[in-house]
Amino acid sequence: MSDFRFTIHDDDGAARAGVFLTPHGRVDTPAFMAVGTLATVKALDPDDLRALGAQMILGNAYHLHLRPGDDVVREMGGLHAFMAWDGPILTDSGGFQVFSLEGLRTVSEDGVEFRSHLDGSLRAFTPESVMRIERNLGADVIMQFDHVIPGQSDEATARDASERSLRWLARCADEVARWRSDTDEPRSPQALFPIVQGGIHESLRRAAARSVRDSGDWVGYGIGGLSVGEAKPDMYRILDVVDGELPRDRPRYLMGVGFPEDLVEGVRRGVDLFDCVAPTRMGRNGAAFTRDGRLNIKRSEFRVDKRPLDEDCDCAACRRFSRAYIRHLFTADEILGLRLLSLHNVHFLVRLMRDARDANRGGTIDAWSEEWLARYLSRPVTSE
Ligand SMILES: [Zn+2]
């Protein structure tokens, strides 16, 4: 596993700051990964992402398998070459997507049958087929195929899904081992991350974390099944439990969690990597993160507001444009409006994690996060 290395530079309680080295470069942690579901972080060019300091981005196996097809991506040289992003990439296994297709899927021990959301065609994912898809995509970090359940699921349902995910992990690992032993395969090394499931049930989470930990020498760990409808205190409580069980010397990736307050709370609980569609999805709807909470740029109160979206922000949108101008772009359905808010929101989270690293380095993560959260949450969110 010498192609990947994780080094912690600063420990501050459960929080830590470090560097995750991959075959396509470094990621300073904690880090926010922008989501490029369909091989594009919506409305942003890879140059934009580099300029705002993004180091690692995410692609999605389910969506890319359906369109353009993982075989097409492979033929085009893999996801890095296809989308002209030469930095680290992680692919999500598609578990979250196929299990979100309520009524369109059948789960068995072998895998999941589902209907494509694009054309209704019948498809099947197994741990082995998902590994082959992620192999074709060629990301640096590939996630195991897991059984995802709603956040409020009862203990029996959560146990069943968690134990199935563990059995599927073993099958994913076997499939990856098969291609690692194939010396004719000149492609870049990939690290398989297992996913800790278990819903909001502490004993299940503890058991899942221990089983995953004891099942292999993993480069890093995914924490799944959170931010899927459960209350925030439940998510934070489960993160505390998982933090105590996973090896401290490997990166932990909290999947699909990306609201600013959750990033701060996650960092305090030993999480190193985050991703979420929130910054770009909300941006396209006119919502902007600011140090003083969220605002909706479409509101009439910003009609002649000369201030930038966030006076503390140094992104390419805030350096040049007023709230009044961006509001005008949204009102007129101009495409630049979507771009500027997406740019600002991704920048906001990337910079938030840089500030967290600085606080860690200074040994002030608790004071920094209390102050940050108090200000961010001090104003009610304006209606969206
Ligand atoms: Zn900005």
Side-chain angles (χ1 to χ4, degrees), residues 301-321:
E301 64 186 280
F302 303 123
R303 199 169 58 88
V304 289
D305 194 327
K306 294 190 174 67
R307 294 173 294 174
L309 291 169
D310 180 348
E311 284 169 300
D312 287 343
C313 182
D314 58 352
C315 83
C318 291
R319 281 201 314 268
R320 296 177 292 170
F321 303 111

Side-chain angles (χ1 to χ4, degrees), residues 238-261:
I238 291 301
L239 285 179
D240 283 330
V241 169
V242 173
D243 172 55
E245 298 295 339
L246 293 182
R248 281 195 61 75
D249 63 350
R250 304 293 158 98
R252 294 97 171 259
Y253 159 37
L254 177 56
M255 303 175 68
V257 173
F259 286 103
E261 63 272 35

